[in-house]
Structure formats: C-alpha cells, structure tokens
Amino acid sequence: MADKRDYYEVLGIQKGASEDEIKKAFRKKARENHPDLHPDDPSYVEKFQEINEANEVLSDPDKRKRYDQFGHAGVDPNYGAGGGAGGFGGMGGMGDIGDILESVFGGFGGFSGFSGGSRSNVNAPRQGADIHESVNISFMDACNGKTQEVKIYCMTVCEACHGSGAEAGTSSEVCPDCQGRGSVKVAQRTPFGAISSAKTCSRCGGKGKIINNPCTKCRGIGRTKVQKNISVDIPAGIDNGQTIRLSGQGDCGINGGPSGDLMINISVKNHPVFTRKGYDIHCDIPVTYMEAVLGAEITVPTIDGDVKYNISEGTQTGTVFRLKNKGVKKLNRPDRGDQYVKVYVEVPKNLTKKQKDLLREFEVSLTDKNYAKRQTFFEKLKNRFDF
C-alpha cells in the first residue's frame, strides 16, 4: 500500500531504537491514541491500528529485520510477502498484545482486542468516563460526617435529539459508501499482483451511517455537557486523601453503554488542637506547675466536647494518658479509636520579687528525696568511672 507511513515514524523513534525504547514508545502512543479515549473522533480507530501494526513488526526481531531490508513489502501480505500466521491477517507474534493492552489501559468498555485482526467497534456500547472532584472539609466534619452538595460538570444524553445526534424531525442515513458496513474494500495493484483489502470507511468513520442534519445543540455528538448538583454523604471517620465513589454519576455512556462513576477525593483541613493518626486522636495539654506538683482535676477537650480528668501528684512533662473510645468512629464499624493526651508542665514566667522569694523558701524546704530523677542522675555521675 503506497500510503503506509514508516513504522519508525509512526512510533516516533529512530531506526536503531532498542527493544525497550520500542516498547515504551508503543505504550505511550497507544495510550494517547486509543479510540475509547476519543469516542467522538473516528479517525483514532485507524491511528490506533497503525500504531499497533508498527509495534507488531518492530517488536519482532525477524519481522523487523525483513522490514529494515525490504520495507513494507517484506512484512505486509498486502504487498505479497509473508502471509499466513506470520502476517497481519493472523496477527502472528502478537500473543501477548492482550496482556500489554490490559496493562496499559486496564480494560475499556467496548474494546474488542486485536486477536485475529479484529477491530475496535465504534458502534459498541462504551462506558462513560469517570469524573474526579475534590472536596475540602473541616477536621470535625471528617470525624462526625456530613452531607455536602458538590457541583459537577458531566456529559449527559442530549435532550434535543435524545442521543441520536440528528436534528429533531430527522434521522441518520445509511452510509452510501459502505452501505452500512462501516468498512470498504480497496483493490490495489502491487508488484506481486492485485490485492484486495478492507479499510474503515472514511466517510462515516466506521459507524455505517451518516448524519446530514446534525443536532444544533450537541453538534451531532448525541451528548452535551451540563452542570449538576450532587448530594454526597460523607461518612464519619473518613480521612484525608480517601475517595468516595458514587456509581453511575459520571459521564453518560456511549451507544447505550453504562455511565461512569463520580470519584470524590476528600481533603481534610488541619485542626488547631487535635491531630489524627488512623482512628486515634492526639493532643497536647498544658498544666500549671502547682497542678503537676499536687495533682488536680483538669479539663480535656475531645471531639465530643470537654471531659474531666484527674492527673496524679507529681505528674511530669511528657506524661501521656489515654481516653478510651474518645477517638474517631471507624468507617462502617460501630467502634471508635482512642484519644491520647500528652501533658506538658508550663513553668511560670514574669514573677514578682515576692513570688520569687516564696519559691526560694519553698525550694530550701525540699530535699533530694523530692527529686527522684535528680537523685538517680547524680548517683550515676558519682559512679561514672565504674562503667
């Protein structure tokens, strides 16, 4: 075929490219030009087939050698060379193409594969695209849950033409070039004889029908973009970075396919007092010097409100106590995490002379027995040469 492009040019690589470079180039090109990503442009069907054909040859050392020596005539049965299991009719050497495409695309609705030379059917039902939105919520809303309205823009079936793509009162017609088949036969003379092959109809793009009077609202696509307000139930216990999936709330399907999903990514704002680790709540709380020395009942904030807690006499900075079941509710479970409270003793500042004198008098009344850690430290220091 005289209009074939150079396979290296198709993949965007140099003639001496390595196998790894060929594989990477194929994945990139295939991902960018897959027909399911461009449902409204039938030209991508042929682009994708061209990319697939180039990879089938260049990834096979034997076929690549013949191609480098003889060009397309060395590998394409349409030029009279090869054929059978080694040509494109049988897709020889492509046993792993399904695995490659699966790893690249993860499976697309409407994709029929390329085994046996089959093509992606542009008329097959295809699932609509997923829509991704982000929602910012407060720390307390993440702990307690809430219902929030989310504004989205999605593709929906055109109300004017009901998805047909044709202006109201009109309908599509059978393509006169392919008679509704979606493909046309092309006969070409080559140095090896006359070859007949089928190619996608350029007039209808493989759909088998044409629209002479496109719908003015959707321009013949059959779908329009609209704004929707979706009510989202955010469950108690959701954490920053988690995603809520609303099935069927994405773009409407193509050719009667199912709608995509709406993916809501949750972003939780920081709290000035609390931090979260899993389902547990952590916070630091200051106590006065006297509260730490004598012990006291202190007020501790929690996500449910303030609670009272008795700290013991001689509480030290860094002491951590646990409030059981005062953490975050676990998703889809009735139980909760805990709250961990870390105490730090605030040393008084800006003392008057009288206050300082009283403290000095108090300090004189203390002995080493009142400072257990201090006493232990100096005992170790005395015996430091024994270690």
Side-chain angles (χ1 to χ4, degrees):
M1 297 173 65
D3 59 346
K4 277 184 178 290
R5 285 202 299 155
D6 178 74
Y7 289 148
Y8 291 101
E9 178 186 344
V10 171
L11 296 184
I13 55 178
Q14 298 296 321
K15 190 171 183 179
S18 65
E19 292 182 8
D20 186 56
E21 289 174 329
I22 294 172
K23 185 176 182 180
K24 289 181 179 179
F26 166 65
R27 287 177 179 270
K28 181 176 184 294
K29 291 286 186 179
R31 183 182 290 109
E32 293 173 350
N33 294 275
H34 196 281
D36 288 342
L37 298 179
H38 308 275
D40 302 320
D41 190 345
S43 67
Y44 280 90
V45 175
E46 290 190 3
K47 290 180 181 178
F48 190 78
Q49 290 170 345
E50 183 183 46
I51 293 166
N52 182 63
E53 183 178 305
N55 177 70
E56 195 263 343
V57 170
L58 299 183
S59 63
D60 185 306
D62 182 59
K63 291 181 181 179
R64 183 180 181 183
K65 182 178 180 180
R66 297 203 308 269
Y67 176 73
D68 288 344
Q69 187 173 2
F70 302 107
H72 293 293
V75 292
D76 193 336
N78 290 344
Y79 281 85
F88 288 101
M91 296 302 286
M94 292 298 288
D96 62 344
I97 187 64
D99 295 334
I100 293 176
L101 291 175
E102 180 67 23
S103 68
V104 173
F105 302 106
F108 279 84
F111 176 68
S112 59
F114 284 82
S115 178
S118 61
R119 300 178 179 180
S120 180
N121 184 2
V122 297
N123 293 316
R126 292 197 294 276
Q127 183 172 355
D130 293 338
I131 296 176
H132 295 264
E133 292 289 342
S134 295
V135 170
N136 295 317
I137 62 175
S138 70
F139 184 93
M140 296 304 296
D141 284 338
C143 294
N144 300 321
K146 68 174 298 187
T147 298
Q148 181 161 325
E149 294 288 321
V150 178
K151 181 172 69 175
I152 67 169
Y153 293 90
C154 65
M155 298 296 290
T156 186
V157 175
C158 177
E159 295 179 353
C161 67
H162 306 290
S164 70
E167 189 68 24
T170 68
S171 60
S172 59
E173 299 178 1
V174 174
C175 176
D177 288 7
C178 67
Q179 302 302 313
R181 292 186 297 269
S183 62
V184 295
K185 289 186 177 181
V186 179
Q188 295 199 4
R189 290 188 174 276
T190 73
F192 305 97
I195 299 297
S196 178
S197 62
K199 63 179 295 185
T200 301
C201 178
S202 60
R203 184 166 184 175
C204 68
K207 293 184 177 181
K209 57 185 180 182
I210 57 175
I211 300 174
N212 292 318
N213 297 295
C215 172
T216 54
K217 185 173 182 179
C218 67
R219 299 180 182 178
I221 296 174
R223 304 190 302 165
T224 55
K225 180 166 286 191
V226 298
Q227 177 185 319
K228 284 186 179 181
N229 291 321
I230 304 294
S231 181
V232 180
D233 290 326
I234 301 174
I238 197 163
D239 206 352
N240 184 62
Q242 292 184 320
T243 299
I244 299 173
R245 178 190 292 269
L246 299 181
S247 181
Q249 295 290 347
D251 286 345
C252 69
I254 300 170
N255 299 327
S259 296
D261 298 333
L262 173 59
M263 314 293 286
I264 305 293
N265 183 262
I266 301 298
S267 179
V268 181
K269 299 176 184 176
N270 293 329
H271 193 276
V273 174
F274 303 119
T275 57
R276 177 176 172 179
K277 295 180 181 178
Y279 293 108
D280 294 331
I281 295 291
H282 293 255
C283 74
D284 295 342
I285 187 167
V287 297
T288 69
Y289 179 75
M290 293 305 298
E291 287 174 333
V293 171
L294 302 178
E297 182 183 70
I298 62 173
T299 300
V300 180
T302 74
I303 60 175
D304 299 320
D306 293 343
V307 298
K308 298 296 183 179
Y309 186 85
N310 289 311
I311 60 172
S312 60
E313 178 182 328
T315 295
Q316 303 294 314
T317 289
T319 299
V320 177
F321 59 86
R322 181 179 71 160
L323 300 178
K324 194 173 182 180
N325 295 323
K326 287 298 183 180
V328 183
K329 180 183 179 297
K330 298 180 180 179
L331 282 173
N332 304 316
R333 290 171 55 180
D335 53 328
R336 303 175 56 166
D338 301 323
Q339 177 166 329
Y340 292 88
V341 182
K342 186 175 183 179
V343 173
Y344 65 91
V345 181
E346 186 172 11
V347 178
K349 296 180 179 180
N350 304 316
L351 300 179
T352 65
K353 181 180 183 302
K354 181 178 180 180
Q355 290 170 331
K356 291 178 181 179
D357 290 341
L358 289 172
L359 279 176
R360 291 189 183 100
E361 183 179 345
F362 171 69
E363 177 68 17
V364 171
S365 70
L366 300 177
T367 67
D368 288 345
K369 292 181 179 179
N370 298 116
Y371 295 103
K373 290 185 178 180
R374 176 185 172 90
Q375 184 180 21
T376 302
F377 172 78
F378 283 108
E379 286 177 354
K380 291 179 179 179
L381 192 62
K382 290 177 180 178
N383 301 322
R384 63 187 181 276
F385 297 112
D386 296 335
F387 291 94

